[in-house]
Every structure is written in C-alpha cells, then in structure tokens.
C-alpha cells in the first residue's frame, strides 16, 4: 500500500486487503519464532481442506486445543503454535490496528477475503457472528464518512429499476442497508435519501445482523 501511495497512486483510490484466514506450517525444529524453519505446510483444515491454509474459524478451534498464542509487536499480528503446527493469522486486535493505520494513511477503504472464512455462524470463536468483518464495519463506521462519496457505483437491481433520488423507500431514512420485507433475497441500499434496490446471489438472503448476504 505504501509503495503504490509513494509512487503517486491517490490514497483514496486504494483499498486495504484484510484476510480472514491464516497460513500454517510444520515446524522443523524447536524454534517457534517468526522465521523458524519449516518442513512444509500444515495439515489441511477439517472444512477448508487445503494444506497450509485455515479459515479463521478453524484457527479458533486450533487455539482451543491449548495452542500458545504470541503477539508479534513489529507486525502487530498474532501467531500460534501447538506441537509441530505453527499458524500466522489476523484477529480482532490486529484488524483494529490495521483499521487505525488505514484511516491515518487516508486510504479509500477495505476489502475482505473472504466472507465465508470468518466465523459466519458465531459458534467457533465465541465472538459473535462475523467477528472480523464486523470489526472492520465498526472501525470504519457506517455514517456519512463511508457512504457520502459522490458518484457511487451503479447498483445491481433485481427488477431492472434504477436508484430514485430523494424519494421512494429511502426517503427520510438514514444511510445504510435495509431489508426488503417482501423478498428476503432483496434489500435496499440507502444513500443520502436515494433508493438503490439490490439483491443477493442465488441461494442467499439478506441478514440484518451483519447487513450482508448470508445463507438462509
């Protein structure tokens, strides 16, 4: 991010990536610090099933096994190890640090990879549904600073209609996402009184708890 910014890219056009996953390794010695030698990727997670890669909710299960958690102060991120397995990842604390850096640097916002790798059910980490993504949401805010940018991207509309200016569903409502009570697959994006009908992908419904599309 700093490279692009220092080479002339407008900071407000750059989005900071936030990872809801971690990378795992098999330790090759008793050394457990950052940079310790490894013999290969860690075992595949029970759900993501990819060697060297765990979703955040799988990492939470690993921590429950009694893994030793360490905070890497220079990078402001955690890592953990148990027996021969080592994992580097992000958590709520590191997300909060990155959000503060993002805002201080004047970057345009955040992107996440990916929705389904966070604790979407809220049953693995004991931090509620989507703890990492909701940390971004609360850290960046949902008020005017995040929704008042000019020339918003055109919405995806389920019925072919466009946004309405100062009238319709969003007239008089605060900026934000609102459910369509007639169709769980649809929702409204209200921006400065303008109504933008939106829809979730097939098989998903709008979930008010996270203001996002979720499994039914």
């Amino acid at each position: 991010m700093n490279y692009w910014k220092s080479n002339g890219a407008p900071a407000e056009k750059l989005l900071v990536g936030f990872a809801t996953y971690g990378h795992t390794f098999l330790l090759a010695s008793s050394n457990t610090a950052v940079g310790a030698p490894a013999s290969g990727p860690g075992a595949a997670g029970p759900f993501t099933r990819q060697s060297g890669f765990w979703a955040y909710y799988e990492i939470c299960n690993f921590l429950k096994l009694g893994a030793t958690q360490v905070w890497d102060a220079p990078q402001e991120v955690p890592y953990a190890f148990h027996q021969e397995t080592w994992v580097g990842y992000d958590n709520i604390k590191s997300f909060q640090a990155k959000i503060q850096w993002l805002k201080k640097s004047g970057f345009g916002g955040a992107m996440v990879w990916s929705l389904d790798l966070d604790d979407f059910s809220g049953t693995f980490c004991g931090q509620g549904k989507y703890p990492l993504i909701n940390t971004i949401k609360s850290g960046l805010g949902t008020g005017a600073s995040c929704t008042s940018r000019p020339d918003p991207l055109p919405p995806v509309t389920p019925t072919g209609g466009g946004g309405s200016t100062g009238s319709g569903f969003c007239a008089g409502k605060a900026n934000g996402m609102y459910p369509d009570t007639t169709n769980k697959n649809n929702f409204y994006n209200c921006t400065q009184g303008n109504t933008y009908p939106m829809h979730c992908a097939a098989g998903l419904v709008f979930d008010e708890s996270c203001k996002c599309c979720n499994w039914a």
Side-chain angles (χ1 to χ4, degrees), residues 29-194:
S29 71
S30 59
N31 185 356
T32 59
V34 173
S39 60
F47 303 102
T48 53
R49 300 181 181 180
Q50 179 179 335
S51 297
F53 177 92
W54 285 349
Y56 180 62
Y57 59 86
E58 291 174 319
I59 294 170
C60 286
N61 272 350
F62 176 70
L63 299 179
K64 292 176 183 177
L65 296 176
T68 300
Q69 302 176 61
V70 182
W71 181 254
D72 179 21
Q75 299 185 68
E76 295 191 271
V77 290
Y79 65 90
F81 56 90
H82 180 64
Q83 296 177 352
E84 76 280 3
T85 302
W86 191 100
V87 58
Y89 61 103
D90 272 295
N91 61 8
I92 290 176
K93 182 179 178 181
S94 65
F95 266 34
Q96 290 171 335
K98 289 181 180 180
I99 290 166
Q100 292 305 311
W101 169 76
L102 181 160
K103 293 192 290 187
K104 182 179 178 180
S105 302
F107 292 124
M111 62 81 65
V112 175
W113 188 271
S114 66
L115 182 68
D116 58 325
L117 297 176
D118 199 356
D119 185 8
F120 55 86
S121 67
T123 59
F124 290 86
C125 303
Q127 300 166 333
K129 289 186 177 181
Y130 298 100
L132 297 182
I133 293 171
N134 279 323
T135 297
I136 298 175
K137 177 183 173 183
S138 61
L140 295 182
T142 56
S145 62
C146 292
T147 57
S148 62
R149 292 184 179 275
D151 302 320
L153 293 174
V156 178
T157 58
T159 58
S164 59
T165 304
S167 62
F169 178 86
C170 292
K173 289 184 171 62
N175 292 343
M177 306 291 186
Y178 295 86
D180 180 345
T181 56
T182 65
N183 188 333
K184 293 182 178 181
N185 180 253
N186 300 339
F187 61 99
Y188 297 102
N189 182 3
C190 295
T191 304
Q192 297 181 329
N194 297 332

